[in-house]
Amino acid sequence: MPMGHTATAEAGSGGLKATEHRLANGLRVVLSEDHLTPVAAVCLWYDVGSRHEVKGRTGLAHLFEHLMFQGSGQVKGNGHFELVQGAGGSLNGTTSFERTNYFETMPTHQLELALWLEADRMGSLLAALDDESMENQRDVVKNERRQRYDNVPYGTAFEKLTALAYPEGHPYHHTPIGSMADLDAATLEDARAFFRTYYAPNNAVLSVVGDIDPEETLAWVEKYFGSIAGHDGKPAPRSGALPDVIGEELREVVVEEVPSRALMAAYRLPEDGTRACDAADLALTVLGGGESSRLYNRLVRRDRTAVAAGFGLLRLAGAPSLGWLDVKTSADVEVPVIEAAVDEELARFAAEGPTAEEMERAQAQLEREWLDRLGTVAGRADELCRFAVLFGDPQLALTAVQRVLEVTAKEVQQAAQERLRPDNRAVLVYEPIPGEIAEDADPPEDPEAEATVEAGDENEEAAK
């Protein structure tokens, strides 16, 4: 098995390294040793998400994530969960616009078990996929939609905003959860065809990080994954390219049973993997990244017109990223009051740019978040897969923060001038049903929260 090249990046007090390898069937493998604790993380990213779906079959990528926990050729029913948790490990899976991932963190001596389990379902899931498992997980996903989207305050906000920000027919127009009608329409043959197309070794990246012996780990990977056949029938995803700005403000008013009025907006921003995207990330961090941000200080602390205010970035590689503004108003404050203050702060920032102190604080905040992700074996495994799948090079994960630290204040100001404009946003205004305004509102929802699957439990949680 050929050895890949090695890259090193300094993080904290020691260097982080990753080596790359490729099996004959096309599976890319990334290894990173870390002997600080006796655990190992296994992460498997498949290059398939909701952007690969076709009209009438939305939600199939997420449904299939659930089906992957329903048993495979040698593991029956809920066995994947039972074996991992019985060995002292943890596991989950998530679906996004651009990928589906599966991951386990195991005691070092149980690493081989995790690799065998992932290989078994990659190679033999169709042996266990039947009508019963299909109906079971279809109901689970529909119940998840009810619990996390349809029956909670502001639950469909992200779905509504993406539908506004990306036009009808665009691959990102719908979110990974899918519609009830499409979930009902999905057939067993749809699921089987989906698996045959996308769940192939040459459409995946496997990373193993932690207290590992690289040679032994590679031998296990070859033993369990090496005989799985590749598949060359994957269609290219539809283009997600769009103009830099929307060109007009798009607006929708929603009257629902919510605890307070809310102003939400999605701004079209540069694609992930670009310096312009990093500049936009810094701009949103200064403006709305936590309680030291401009919008929080203005709306919550000074004006006291809002109980929560945040501005975050949903990074996307295959389409324009989204800047997500989320403000929940104080008791009787009208949304136009909030909107005028937000526009005033954005205009001031575009005119003046960030201060030196704000740049330093924002870059330190993003650096800390990067160190937090790479500081755990599971976080590093996920980042290595992300950069391998979306940008072709896992080594970029180890140097990502350096690119953020090189962005200048002028570039951050330029990002605000070019993109944080009224004609480049989709706006969602929530109005409570008359007479039902509450004293307090919930904090902003995280637009990057993705669907997850939990062992034998329909009450699923969100994971980044």
Side-chain angles (χ1 to χ4, degrees):
M1 185 184 307
M3 297 294 289
H5 65 281
T6 301
T8 303
E10 293 298 320
S13 59
L16 299 179
K17 296 188 296 183
T19 60
E20 302 171 49
H21 319 270
R22 187 181 293 268
L23 303 192
N25 60 10
L27 179 67
R28 288 179 290 172
V29 183
V30 185
L31 305 180
S32 180
E33 287 185 78
D34 184 340
H35 301 289
L36 187 62
T37 56
V39 296
V42 173
C43 187
L44 188 59
W45 272 46
Y46 290 93
D47 187 7
V48 57
S50 59
R51 70 167 173 164
H52 297 86
E53 296 166 348
V54 298
K55 187 174 182 179
R57 290 297 182 268
T58 66
L60 197 55
H62 177 217
L63 174 61
F64 213 91
E65 172 210 321
H66 285 255
L67 291 171
M68 285 283 277
F69 289 91
Q70 270 297 106
S72 49
Q74 301 181 71
V75 181
K76 304 306 179 186
N78 209 36
H80 197 111
F81 280 107
E82 293 168 355
L83 287 168
V84 170
Q85 293 173 338
S90 61
L91 72 163
N92 217 320
T94 72
T95 306
S96 77
F97 289 104
E98 300 181 323
R99 60 97 184 102
T100 309
N101 68 348
Y102 304 89
F103 45 93
E104 296 89 5
T105 300
M106 307 288 283
T108 299
H109 67 282
Q110 297 287 0
L111 171 60
E112 185 179 7
L113 172 63
L115 294 171
W116 174 75
L117 284 167
E118 288 294 356
D120 190 58
R121 59 182 176 183
M122 177 190 282
S124 67
L125 186 109
L126 287 184
L129 184 57
D130 56 21
D131 287 318
E132 181 181 358
S133 59
M134 183 79 172
E135 292 309 312
N136 178 288
Q137 292 307 309
R138 190 202 312 270
D139 288 344
V140 169
V141 173
K142 289 169 66 177
N143 209 37
E144 176 185 347
R145 181 179 173 91
R146 295 184 190 100
Q147 293 176 351
R148 293 186 53 228
Y149 291 77
D150 297 335
N151 298 331
V152 296
Y154 318 108
T156 58
F158 186 56
E159 191 173 48
K160 292 178 185 297
L161 276 178
T162 53
L164 285 173
Y166 302 114
E168 181 73 38
H170 190 271
Y172 294 69
H173 179 73
H174 69 279
T175 55
I177 191 66
S179 72
M180 285 291 197
D182 287 358
L183 288 170
D184 282 334
T187 67
L188 181 61
E189 186 49 45
D190 288 332
R192 287 173 172 161
F194 193 87
F195 179 84
R196 286 191 292 263
T197 301
Y198 295 107
Y199 279 76
N202 54 323
N203 195 47
V205 173
L206 172 70
S207 66
V208 186
V209 176
D211 185 27
I212 64 173
D213 178 318
E215 290 188 9
E216 180 180 54
T217 302
L218 282 173
W220 285 334
V221 171
E222 180 65 59
K223 176 181 178 181
Y224 297 121
F225 289 89
S227 62
I228 302 173
H231 185 276
D232 296 324
K234 174 188 172 183
R238 291 172 293 139
S239 172
L242 288 170
D244 286 349
V245 297
I246 297 173
E248 61 177 323
E249 183 184 82
L250 306 173
R251 182 176 292 259
E252 182 178 338
V253 177
V254 181
V255 179
E256 282 186 2
E257 188 176 337
V258 291
S260 75
R261 296 184 178 92
L263 171 68
M264 302 184 192
Y267 291 77
R268 191 178 292 175
L269 297 176
E271 293 181 3
D272 194 11
T274 64
R275 189 178 176 105
C277 186
D278 290 337
D281 200 355
L282 286 165
L284 300 192
T285 302
V286 172
L287 287 164
E291 296 185 4
S292 63
S293 65
R294 289 195 182 195
L295 290 176
Y296 192 93
N297 278 322
R298 168 70 185 273
L299 299 173
V300 180
R301 285 205 174 100
R302 196 193 88 180
D303 296 353
R304 298 186 178 180
T305 53
V307 295
F311 209 171
L313 178 63
L314 173 61
R315 287 177 175 262
L316 296 170
S321 302
L322 288 184
W324 171 272
L325 174 72
D326 192 338
V327 182
K328 304 297 194 309
T329 71
S330 297
D332 293 320
V333 175
E334 300 286 342
V335 168
V337 174
I338 294 287
E339 193 165 5
V342 168
D343 285 343
E344 183 180 315
E345 290 300 322
L346 296 187
R348 179 182 295 116
F349 187 76
E352 301 172 358
T355 66
E357 181 183 358
E358 286 175 327
M359 276 293 291
E360 182 178 3
R361 186 167 60 240
Q363 287 176 319
Q365 184 172 331
L366 295 184
E367 181 178 24
R368 184 180 66 251
E369 293 171 0
W370 176 79
L371 289 170
D372 286 345
R373 290 194 298 273
L374 267 65
T376 67
V377 293
R380 194 184 319 158
D382 194 59
E383 288 295 295
L384 290 169
C385 279
R386 182 170 85 90
F387 280 90
V389 169
L390 299 181
F391 308 108
D393 185 359
Q395 310 296 348
L396 293 172
L398 306 181
T399 57
V401 74
Q402 188 58 43
R403 295 186 289 278
V404 173
L405 298 178
E406 291 171 353
V407 174
T408 66
K410 183 64 177 176
E411 289 174 295
V412 173
Q413 181 183 8
Q414 184 178 357
Q417 291 172 341
E418 294 178 352
R419 302 298 187 108
L420 301 182
R421 302 166 9 189
D423 67 343
N424 187 38
R425 67 186 178 197
V427 177
L428 202 60
V429 174
Y430 274 90
E431 290 286 345
I433 296 172
E436 296 191 9
I437 295 179
E439 291 298 319
D440 297 302
D442 293 333
E445 293 290 331
D446 182 355
E448 295 190 60
E450 296 155 345
T452 68
V453 59
E454 298 289 345
D457 186 359
E458 295 181 0
N459 298 308
E460 299 172 359
E461 300 174 350
K464 279 196 169 185

